[in-house]
PDB file of all heavy atoms in Angstrom:
ATOM      1  N   GLY A 996      17.689   7.338  20.441  1.00 81.00           N
ATOM      2  CA  GLY A 996      18.971   7.944  20.760  1.00 81.00           C
ATOM      3  C   GLY A 996      19.197   9.348  20.201  1.00 81.00           C
ATOM      4  O   GLY A 996      20.270   9.903  20.351  1.00 81.00           O
ATOM      5  N   ILE A 997      18.190   9.945  19.529  1.00 89.00           N
ATOM      6  CA  ILE A 997      18.391  11.266  18.937  1.00 89.00           C
ATOM      7  C   ILE A 997      18.008  12.355  19.956  1.00 89.00           C
ATOM      8  O   ILE A 997      16.887  12.402  20.431  1.00 89.00           O
ATOM      9  CB  ILE A 997      17.546  11.429  17.651  1.00 89.00           C
ATOM     10  CG1 ILE A 997      17.956  10.356  16.635  1.00 89.00           C
ATOM     11  CG2 ILE A 997      17.694  12.833  17.076  1.00 89.00           C
ATOM     12  CD1 ILE A 997      17.132  10.352  15.370  1.00 89.00           C
ATOM     13  N   SER A 998      18.972  13.212  20.288  1.00 91.00           N
ATOM     14  CA  SER A 998      18.705  14.216  21.319  1.00 91.00           C
ATOM     15  C   SER A 998      19.287  15.594  21.008  1.00 91.00           C
ATOM     16  O   SER A 998      19.172  16.505  21.800  1.00 91.00           O
ATOM     17  CB  SER A 998      19.242  13.730  22.665  1.00 91.00           C
ATOM     18  OG  SER A 998      20.642  13.575  22.586  1.00 91.00           O
ATOM     19  N   LYS A 999      19.919  15.743  19.841  1.00 92.00           N
ATOM     20  CA  LYS A 999      20.550  17.023  19.515  1.00 92.00           C
ATOM     21  C   LYS A 999      20.253  17.397  18.072  1.00 92.00           C
ATOM     22  O   LYS A 999      20.034  16.512  17.238  1.00 92.00           O
ATOM     23  CB  LYS A 999      22.082  16.912  19.664  1.00 92.00           C
ATOM     24  CG  LYS A 999      22.557  16.624  21.073  1.00 92.00           C
ATOM     25  CD  LYS A 999      24.060  16.370  21.085  1.00 92.00           C
ATOM     26  CE  LYS A 999      24.527  16.086  22.492  1.00 92.00           C
ATOM     27  NZ  LYS A 999      25.895  15.608  22.541  1.00 92.00           N
ATOM     28  N   THR A1000      20.298  18.704  17.771  1.00 94.00           N
ATOM     29  CA  THR A1000      20.104  19.137  16.379  1.00 94.00           C
ATOM     30  C   THR A1000      21.154  18.493  15.478  1.00 94.00           C
ATOM     31  O   THR A1000      20.869  18.130  14.343  1.00 94.00           O
ATOM     32  CB  THR A1000      20.201  20.680  16.229  1.00 94.00           C
ATOM     33  OG1 THR A1000      21.291  21.133  17.015  1.00 94.00           O
ATOM     34  CG2 THR A1000      18.929  21.369  16.661  1.00 94.00           C
ATOM     35  N   SER A1001      22.356  18.308  16.026  1.00 92.00           N
ATOM     36  CA  SER A1001      23.415  17.707  15.204  1.00 92.00           C
ATOM     37  C   SER A1001      23.076  16.254  14.849  1.00 92.00           C
ATOM     38  O   SER A1001      23.387  15.794  13.751  1.00 92.00           O
ATOM     39  CB  SER A1001      24.761  17.774  15.928  1.00 92.00           C
ATOM     40  OG  SER A1001      24.701  17.030  17.127  1.00 92.00           O
ATOM     41  N   HIS A1002      22.409  15.539  15.775  1.00 90.00           N
ATOM     42  CA  HIS A1002      21.961  14.165  15.471  1.00 90.00           C
ATOM     43  C   HIS A1002      20.949  14.184  14.330  1.00 90.00           C
ATOM     44  O   HIS A1002      21.025  13.388  13.385  1.00 90.00           O
ATOM     45  CB  HIS A1002      21.278  13.525  16.690  1.00 90.00           C
ATOM     46  CG  HIS A1002      22.175  13.266  17.848  1.00 90.00           C
ATOM     47  ND1 HIS A1002      21.682  13.068  19.118  1.00 90.00           N
ATOM     48  CD2 HIS A1002      23.517  13.161  17.935  1.00 90.00           C
ATOM     49  CE1 HIS A1002      22.696  12.852  19.949  1.00 90.00           C
ATOM     50  NE2 HIS A1002      23.814  12.903  19.245  1.00 90.00           N
ATOM     51  N   VAL A1003      19.966  15.107  14.456  1.00 94.00           N
ATOM     52  CA  VAL A1003      18.912  15.193  13.435  1.00 94.00           C
ATOM     53  C   VAL A1003      19.541  15.463  12.077  1.00 94.00           C
ATOM     54  O   VAL A1003      19.234  14.798  11.083  1.00 94.00           O
ATOM     55  CB  VAL A1003      17.896  16.306  13.797  1.00 94.00           C
ATOM     56  CG1 VAL A1003      16.836  16.439  12.700  1.00 94.00           C
ATOM     57  CG2 VAL A1003      17.231  16.017  15.137  1.00 94.00           C
ATOM     58  N   LYS A1004      20.443  16.423  12.078  1.00 94.00           N
ATOM     59  CA  LYS A1004      21.099  16.815  10.826  1.00 94.00           C
ATOM     60  C   LYS A1004      21.835  15.622  10.216  1.00 94.00           C
ATOM     61  O   LYS A1004      21.695  15.329   9.028  1.00 94.00           O
ATOM     62  CB  LYS A1004      22.084  17.964  11.109  1.00 94.00           C
ATOM     63  CG  LYS A1004      22.445  18.770   9.870  1.00 94.00           C
ATOM     64  CD  LYS A1004      23.370  19.933  10.223  1.00 94.00           C
ATOM     65  CE  LYS A1004      22.586  21.178  10.617  1.00 94.00           C
ATOM     66  NZ  LYS A1004      23.455  22.329  10.958  1.00 94.00           N
ATOM     67  N   SER A1005      22.587  14.913  11.035  1.00 91.00           N
ATOM     68  CA  SER A1005      23.382  13.811  10.483  1.00 91.00           C
ATOM     69  C   SER A1005      22.475  12.655  10.030  1.00 91.00           C
ATOM     70  O   SER A1005      22.687  12.063   8.981  1.00 91.00           O
ATOM     71  CB  SER A1005      24.442  13.366  11.499  1.00 91.00           C
ATOM     72  OG  SER A1005      24.037  12.214  12.187  1.00 91.00           O
ATOM     73  N   VAL A1006      21.422  12.366  10.791  1.00 93.00           N
ATOM     74  CA  VAL A1006      20.509  11.278  10.406  1.00 93.00           C
ATOM     75  C   VAL A1006      19.820  11.596   9.074  1.00 93.00           C
ATOM     76  O   VAL A1006      19.670  10.732   8.209  1.00 93.00           O
ATOM     77  CB  VAL A1006      19.465  11.038  11.522  1.00 93.00           C
ATOM     78  CG1 VAL A1006      18.238  10.315  10.991  1.00 93.00           C
ATOM     79  CG2 VAL A1006      20.087  10.241  12.665  1.00 93.00           C
ATOM     80  N   LEU A1007      19.419  12.868   8.916  1.00 95.00           N
ATOM     81  CA  LEU A1007      18.648  13.216   7.717  1.00 95.00           C
ATOM     82  C   LEU A1007      19.505  13.324   6.451  1.00 95.00           C
ATOM     83  O   LEU A1007      18.974  13.479   5.360  1.00 95.00           O
ATOM     84  CB  LEU A1007      17.847  14.503   7.954  1.00 95.00           C
ATOM     85  CG  LEU A1007      16.705  14.361   8.991  1.00 95.00           C
ATOM     86  CD1 LEU A1007      15.913  15.658   9.114  1.00 95.00           C
ATOM     87  CD2 LEU A1007      15.758  13.201   8.654  1.00 95.00           C
ATOM     88  N   THR A1008      20.820  13.196   6.608  1.00 95.00           N
ATOM     89  CA  THR A1008      21.639  13.159   5.391  1.00 95.00           C
ATOM     90  C   THR A1008      21.466  11.830   4.656  1.00 95.00           C
ATOM     91  O   THR A1008      21.613  11.762   3.450  1.00 95.00           O
ATOM     92  CB  THR A1008      23.152  13.343   5.686  1.00 95.00           C
ATOM     93  OG1 THR A1008      23.548  12.336   6.611  1.00 95.00           O
ATOM     94  CG2 THR A1008      23.445  14.724   6.245  1.00 95.00           C
ATOM     95  N   TYR A1009      21.142  10.754   5.398  1.00 94.00           N
ATOM     96  CA  TYR A1009      21.012   9.444   4.728  1.00 94.00           C
ATOM     97  C   TYR A1009      19.643   8.794   4.944  1.00 94.00           C
ATOM     98  O   TYR A1009      19.301   7.844   4.263  1.00 94.00           O
ATOM     99  CB  TYR A1009      22.113   8.490   5.209  1.00 94.00           C
ATOM    100  CG  TYR A1009      22.163   8.299   6.711  1.00 94.00           C
ATOM    101  CD1 TYR A1009      21.363   7.324   7.312  1.00 94.00           C
ATOM    102  CD2 TYR A1009      22.970   9.092   7.524  1.00 94.00           C
ATOM    103  CE1 TYR A1009      21.388   7.160   8.683  1.00 94.00           C
ATOM    104  CE2 TYR A1009      22.994   8.932   8.893  1.00 94.00           C
ATOM    105  CZ  TYR A1009      22.206   7.964   9.473  1.00 94.00           C
ATOM    106  OH  TYR A1009      22.219   7.794  10.826  1.00 94.00           O
ATOM    107  N   ALA A1010      18.832   9.295   5.940  1.00 96.00           N
ATOM    108  CA  ALA A1010      17.508   8.711   6.173  1.00 96.00           C
ATOM    109  C   ALA A1010      16.430   9.744   5.869  1.00 96.00           C
ATOM    110  O   ALA A1010      16.728  10.914   5.656  1.00 96.00           O
ATOM    111  CB  ALA A1010      17.405   8.226   7.611  1.00 96.00           C
ATOM    112  N   ASP A1011      15.180   9.290   5.863  1.00 97.00           N
ATOM    113  CA  ASP A1011      14.077  10.174   5.485  1.00 97.00           C
ATOM    114  C   ASP A1011      13.410  10.827   6.692  1.00 97.00           C
ATOM    115  O   ASP A1011      12.736  11.832   6.569  1.00 97.00           O
ATOM    116  CB  ASP A1011      13.031   9.374   4.707  1.00 97.00           C
ATOM    117  CG  ASP A1011      13.658   8.641   3.537  1.00 97.00           C
ATOM    118  OD1 ASP A1011      13.909   9.297   2.513  1.00 97.00           O
ATOM    119  OD2 ASP A1011      13.954   7.434   3.673  1.00 97.00           O
ATOM    120  N   GLY A1012      13.573  10.217   7.845  1.00 97.00           N
ATOM    121  CA  GLY A1012      12.940  10.778   9.034  1.00 97.00           C
ATOM    122  C   GLY A1012      13.796  10.585  10.265  1.00 97.00           C
ATOM    123  O   GLY A1012      14.591   9.649  10.346  1.00 97.00           O
ATOM    124  N   ALA A1013      13.634  11.507  11.233  1.00 96.00           N
ATOM    125  CA  ALA A1013      14.335  11.395  12.511  1.00 96.00           C
ATOM    126  C   ALA A1013      13.274  11.358  13.616  1.00 96.00           C
ATOM    127  O   ALA A1013      12.457  12.277  13.720  1.00 96.00           O
ATOM    128  CB  ALA A1013      15.278  12.565  12.714  1.00 96.00           C
ATOM    129  N   ILE A1014      13.262  10.272  14.389  1.00 96.00           N
ATOM    130  CA  ILE A1014      12.276  10.106  15.457  1.00 96.00           C
ATOM    131  C   ILE A1014      12.909  10.515  16.785  1.00 96.00           C
ATOM    132  O   ILE A1014      13.995  10.039  17.131  1.00 96.00           O
ATOM    133  CB  ILE A1014      11.794   8.633  15.523  1.00 96.00           C
ATOM    134  CG1 ILE A1014      11.183   8.230  14.178  1.00 96.00           C
ATOM    135  CG2 ILE A1014      10.778   8.445  16.659  1.00 96.00           C
ATOM    136  CD1 ILE A1014      11.037   6.731  13.988  1.00 96.00           C
ATOM    137  N   VAL A1015      12.250  11.415  17.502  1.00 96.00           N
ATOM    138  CA  VAL A1015      12.795  11.889  18.784  1.00 96.00           C
ATOM    139  C   VAL A1015      11.775  11.634  19.885  1.00 96.00           C
ATOM    140  O   VAL A1015      10.669  12.180  19.842  1.00 96.00           O
ATOM    141  CB  VAL A1015      13.142  13.395  18.715  1.00 96.00           C
ATOM    142  CG1 VAL A1015      13.802  13.832  20.030  1.00 96.00           C
ATOM    143  CG2 VAL A1015      14.037  13.692  17.531  1.00 96.00           C
ATOM    144  N   GLY A1016      12.134  10.782  20.834  1.00 95.00           N
ATOM    145  CA  GLY A1016      11.206  10.429  21.907  1.00 95.00           C
ATOM    146  C   GLY A1016      11.693  10.843  23.278  1.00 95.00           C
ATOM    147  O   GLY A1016      11.248  11.851  23.836  1.00 95.00           O
ATOM    148  N   SER A1017      12.646  10.061  23.822  1.00 94.00           N
ATOM    149  CA  SER A1017      13.100  10.265  25.197  1.00 94.00           C
ATOM    150  C   SER A1017      13.532  11.714  25.466  1.00 94.00           C
ATOM    151  O   SER A1017      13.267  12.258  26.530  1.00 94.00           O
ATOM    152  CB  SER A1017      14.259   9.319  25.511  1.00 94.00           C
ATOM    153  OG  SER A1017      13.812   7.998  25.440  1.00 94.00           O
ATOM    154  N   HIS A1018      14.197  12.327  24.487  1.00 96.00           N
ATOM    155  CA  HIS A1018      14.682  13.696  24.681  1.00 96.00           C
ATOM    156  C   HIS A1018      13.523  14.664  24.939  1.00 96.00           C
ATOM    157  O   HIS A1018      13.568  15.471  25.871  1.00 96.00           O
ATOM    158  CB  HIS A1018      15.487  14.125  23.452  1.00 96.00           C
ATOM    159  CG  HIS A1018      15.911  15.567  23.502  1.00 96.00           C
ATOM    160  ND1 HIS A1018      16.756  16.046  24.478  1.00 96.00           N
ATOM    161  CD2 HIS A1018      15.569  16.633  22.727  1.00 96.00           C
ATOM    162  CE1 HIS A1018      16.935  17.355  24.276  1.00 96.00           C
ATOM    163  NE2 HIS A1018      16.219  17.726  23.228  1.00 96.00           N
ATOM    164  N   PHE A1019      12.474  14.567  24.120  1.00 97.00           N
ATOM    165  CA  PHE A1019      11.332  15.474  24.307  1.00 97.00           C
ATOM    166  C   PHE A1019      10.580  15.156  25.601  1.00 97.00           C
ATOM    167  O   PHE A1019      10.086  16.035  26.285  1.00 97.00           O
ATOM    168  CB  PHE A1019      10.367  15.391  23.111  1.00 97.00           C
ATOM    169  CG  PHE A1019      10.913  16.009  21.849  1.00 97.00           C
ATOM    170  CD1 PHE A1019      10.504  15.542  20.604  1.00 97.00           C
ATOM    171  CD2 PHE A1019      11.829  17.069  21.901  1.00 97.00           C
ATOM    172  CE1 PHE A1019      10.998  16.105  19.434  1.00 97.00           C
ATOM    173  CE2 PHE A1019      12.330  17.635  20.741  1.00 97.00           C
ATOM    174  CZ  PHE A1019      11.918  17.157  19.497  1.00 97.00           C
ATOM    175  N   VAL A1020      10.488  13.856  25.932  1.00 97.00           N
ATOM    176  CA  VAL A1020       9.797  13.461  27.157  1.00 97.00           C
ATOM    177  C   VAL A1020      10.538  14.003  28.391  1.00 97.00           C
ATOM    178  O   VAL A1020       9.923  14.524  29.324  1.00 97.00           O
ATOM    179  CB  VAL A1020       9.635  11.917  27.229  1.00 97.00           C
ATOM    180  CG1 VAL A1020       9.177  11.474  28.617  1.00 97.00           C
ATOM    181  CG2 VAL A1020       8.649  11.439  26.166  1.00 97.00           C
ATOM    182  N   THR A1021      11.851  13.910  28.355  1.00 97.00           N
ATOM    183  CA  THR A1021      12.668  14.445  29.458  1.00 97.00           C
ATOM    184  C   THR A1021      12.499  15.955  29.573  1.00 97.00           C
ATOM    185  O   THR A1021      12.318  16.504  30.659  1.00 97.00           O
ATOM    186  CB  THR A1021      14.166  14.121  29.228  1.00 97.00           C
ATOM    187  OG1 THR A1021      14.292  12.716  29.020  1.00 97.00           O
ATOM    188  CG2 THR A1021      15.021  14.525  30.414  1.00 97.00           C
ATOM    189  N   LEU A1022      12.542  16.624  28.425  1.00 97.00           N
ATOM    190  CA  LEU A1022      12.410  18.081  28.379  1.00 97.00           C
ATOM    191  C   LEU A1022      11.030  18.518  28.872  1.00 97.00           C
ATOM    192  O   LEU A1022      10.887  19.529  29.564  1.00 97.00           O
ATOM    193  CB  LEU A1022      12.639  18.549  26.932  1.00 97.00           C
ATOM    194  CG  LEU A1022      13.034  19.998  26.693  1.00 97.00           C
ATOM    195  CD1 LEU A1022      14.343  20.328  27.404  1.00 97.00           C
ATOM    196  CD2 LEU A1022      13.165  20.261  25.186  1.00 97.00           C
ATOM    197  N   LEU A1023      10.024  17.716  28.528  1.00 97.00           N
ATOM    198  CA  LEU A1023       8.650  18.021  28.924  1.00 97.00           C
ATOM    199  C   LEU A1023       8.523  18.027  30.449  1.00 97.00           C
ATOM    200  O   LEU A1023       7.920  18.932  31.034  1.00 97.00           O
ATOM    201  CB  LEU A1023       7.697  16.990  28.312  1.00 97.00           C
ATOM    202  CG  LEU A1023       6.202  17.122  28.630  1.00 97.00           C
ATOM    203  CD1 LEU A1023       5.642  18.420  28.093  1.00 97.00           C
ATOM    204  CD2 LEU A1023       5.438  15.934  28.043  1.00 97.00           C
ATOM    205  N   VAL A1024       9.121  17.019  31.074  1.00 96.00           N
ATOM    206  CA  VAL A1024       9.053  16.920  32.533  1.00 96.00           C
ATOM    207  C   VAL A1024       9.823  18.084  33.176  1.00 96.00           C
ATOM    208  O   VAL A1024       9.363  18.712  34.121  1.00 96.00           O
ATOM    209  CB  VAL A1024       9.641  15.569  33.021  1.00 96.00           C
ATOM    210  CG1 VAL A1024       9.714  15.542  34.544  1.00 96.00           C
ATOM    211  CG2 VAL A1024       8.799  14.426  32.508  1.00 96.00           C
ATOM    212  N   ALA A1025      10.985  18.382  32.614  1.00 97.00           N
ATOM    213  CA  ALA A1025      11.853  19.371  33.242  1.00 97.00           C
ATOM    214  C   ALA A1025      11.384  20.802  32.993  1.00 97.00           C
ATOM    215  O   ALA A1025      11.448  21.639  33.880  1.00 97.00           O
ATOM    216  CB  ALA A1025      13.292  19.187  32.754  1.00 97.00           C
ATOM    217  N   GLU A1026      10.915  21.071  31.768  1.00 97.00           N
ATOM    218  CA  GLU A1026      10.686  22.480  31.421  1.00 97.00           C
ATOM    219  C   GLU A1026       9.314  22.777  30.825  1.00 97.00           C
ATOM    220  O   GLU A1026       9.001  23.922  30.535  1.00 97.00           O
ATOM    221  CB  GLU A1026      11.791  22.959  30.480  1.00 97.00           C
ATOM    222  CG  GLU A1026      13.185  22.786  31.103  1.00 97.00           C
ATOM    223  CD  GLU A1026      14.278  23.385  30.251  1.00 97.00           C
ATOM    224  OE1 GLU A1026      14.082  24.489  29.701  1.00 97.00           O
ATOM    225  OE2 GLU A1026      15.328  22.736  30.103  1.00 97.00           O
ATOM    226  N   GLY A1027       8.487  21.765  30.589  1.00 97.00           N
ATOM    227  CA  GLY A1027       7.110  22.019  30.162  1.00 97.00           C
ATOM    228  C   GLY A1027       6.905  22.114  28.656  1.00 97.00           C
ATOM    229  O   GLY A1027       7.854  22.144  27.867  1.00 97.00           O
ATOM    230  N   THR A1028       5.624  22.173  28.274  1.00 97.00           N
ATOM    231  CA  THR A1028       5.208  22.110  26.875  1.00 97.00           C
ATOM    232  C   THR A1028       5.808  23.196  25.976  1.00 97.00           C
ATOM    233  O   THR A1028       6.329  22.871  24.900  1.00 97.00           O
ATOM    234  CB  THR A1028       3.668  22.125  26.803  1.00 97.00           C
ATOM    235  OG1 THR A1028       3.178  21.006  27.544  1.00 97.00           O
ATOM    236  CG2 THR A1028       3.172  22.039  25.370  1.00 97.00           C
ATOM    237  N   PRO A1029       5.764  24.496  26.372  1.00 97.00           N
ATOM    238  CA  PRO A1029       6.288  25.531  25.448  1.00 97.00           C
ATOM    239  C   PRO A1029       7.749  25.292  25.061  1.00 97.00           C
ATOM    240  O   PRO A1029       8.129  25.502  23.907  1.00 97.00           O
ATOM    241  CB  PRO A1029       6.149  26.824  26.270  1.00 97.00           C
ATOM    242  CG  PRO A1029       5.091  26.533  27.277  1.00 97.00           C
ATOM    243  CD  PRO A1029       5.210  25.086  27.601  1.00 97.00           C
ATOM    244  N   ARG A1030       8.531  24.831  26.031  1.00 97.00           N
ATOM    245  CA  ARG A1030       9.956  24.563  25.765  1.00 97.00           C
ATOM    246  C   ARG A1030      10.118  23.426  24.754  1.00 97.00           C
ATOM    247  O   ARG A1030      10.966  23.480  23.858  1.00 97.00           O
ATOM    248  CB  ARG A1030      10.655  24.223  27.092  1.00 97.00           C
ATOM    249  CG  ARG A1030      12.117  23.867  26.978  1.00 97.00           C
ATOM    250  CD  ARG A1030      12.981  25.084  26.646  1.00 97.00           C
ATOM    251  NE  ARG A1030      14.365  24.698  26.443  1.00 97.00           N
ATOM    252  CZ  ARG A1030      14.862  24.258  25.293  1.00 97.00           C
ATOM    253  NH1 ARG A1030      14.075  24.188  24.233  1.00 97.00           N
ATOM    254  NH2 ARG A1030      16.130  23.907  25.184  1.00 97.00           N
ATOM    255  N   VAL A1031       9.272  22.378  24.894  1.00 98.00           N
ATOM    256  CA  VAL A1031       9.332  21.244  23.956  1.00 98.00           C
ATOM    257  C   VAL A1031       8.977  21.719  22.549  1.00 98.00           C
ATOM    258  O   VAL A1031       9.632  21.350  21.571  1.00 98.00           O
ATOM    259  CB  VAL A1031       8.367  20.109  24.403  1.00 98.00           C
ATOM    260  CG1 VAL A1031       8.288  19.013  23.345  1.00 98.00           C
ATOM    261  CG2 VAL A1031       8.827  19.516  25.739  1.00 98.00           C
ATOM    262  N   ILE A1032       7.949  22.559  22.453  1.00 98.00           N
ATOM    263  CA  ILE A1032       7.527  23.055  21.136  1.00 98.00           C
ATOM    264  C   ILE A1032       8.651  23.884  20.486  1.00 98.00           C
ATOM    265  O   ILE A1032       8.914  23.746  19.293  1.00 98.00           O
ATOM    266  CB  ILE A1032       6.228  23.911  21.270  1.00 98.00           C
ATOM    267  CG1 ILE A1032       5.095  23.068  21.890  1.00 98.00           C
ATOM    268  CG2 ILE A1032       5.812  24.491  19.919  1.00 98.00           C
ATOM    269  CD1 ILE A1032       4.613  21.909  21.055  1.00 98.00           C
ATOM    270  N   ARG A1033       9.336  24.702  21.295  1.00 97.00           N
ATOM    271  CA  ARG A1033      10.465  25.484  20.748  1.00 97.00           C
ATOM    272  C   ARG A1033      11.558  24.555  20.234  1.00 97.00           C
ATOM    273  O   ARG A1033      12.144  24.773  19.180  1.00 97.00           O
ATOM    274  CB  ARG A1033      11.049  26.415  21.823  1.00 97.00           C
ATOM    275  CG  ARG A1033      10.246  27.691  22.048  1.00 97.00           C
ATOM    276  CD  ARG A1033      11.112  28.822  22.630  1.00 97.00           C
ATOM    277  NE  ARG A1033      11.812  28.473  23.852  1.00 97.00           N
ATOM    278  CZ  ARG A1033      11.228  28.441  25.070  1.00 97.00           C
ATOM    279  NH1 ARG A1033       9.948  28.731  25.204  1.00 97.00           N
ATOM    280  NH2 ARG A1033      11.936  28.113  26.132  1.00 97.00           N
ATOM    281  N   GLU A1034      11.820  23.481  21.005  1.00 97.00           N
ATOM    282  CA  GLU A1034      12.863  22.521  20.616  1.00 97.00           C
ATOM    283  C   GLU A1034      12.475  21.822  19.300  1.00 97.00           C
ATOM    284  O   GLU A1034      13.322  21.586  18.439  1.00 97.00           O
ATOM    285  CB  GLU A1034      13.065  21.483  21.735  1.00 97.00           C
ATOM    286  CG  GLU A1034      14.270  20.571  21.545  1.00 97.00           C
ATOM    287  CD  GLU A1034      15.555  21.116  22.160  1.00 97.00           C
ATOM    288  OE1 GLU A1034      15.611  22.328  22.457  1.00 97.00           O
ATOM    289  OE2 GLU A1034      16.501  20.322  22.334  1.00 97.00           O
TER     290      GLU A1034
END
Side-chain angles (χ1 to χ4, degrees):
Chain A
I997 300 176
S998 63
K999 296 173 180 170
T1000 42
S1001 62
H1002 293 161
V1003 177
K1004 200 177 272 180
S1005 100
V1006 159
L1007 292 183
T1008 56
Y1009 56 87
D1011 307 281
I1014 301 164
V1015 184
S1017 296
H1018 174 63
F1019 289 152
V1020 168
T1021 306
L1022 201 60
L1023 179 63
V1024 174
E1026 302 186 41
T1028 301
R1030 178 71 184 85
V1031 173
I1032 301 295
R1033 281 204 305 281
E1034 189 90 343

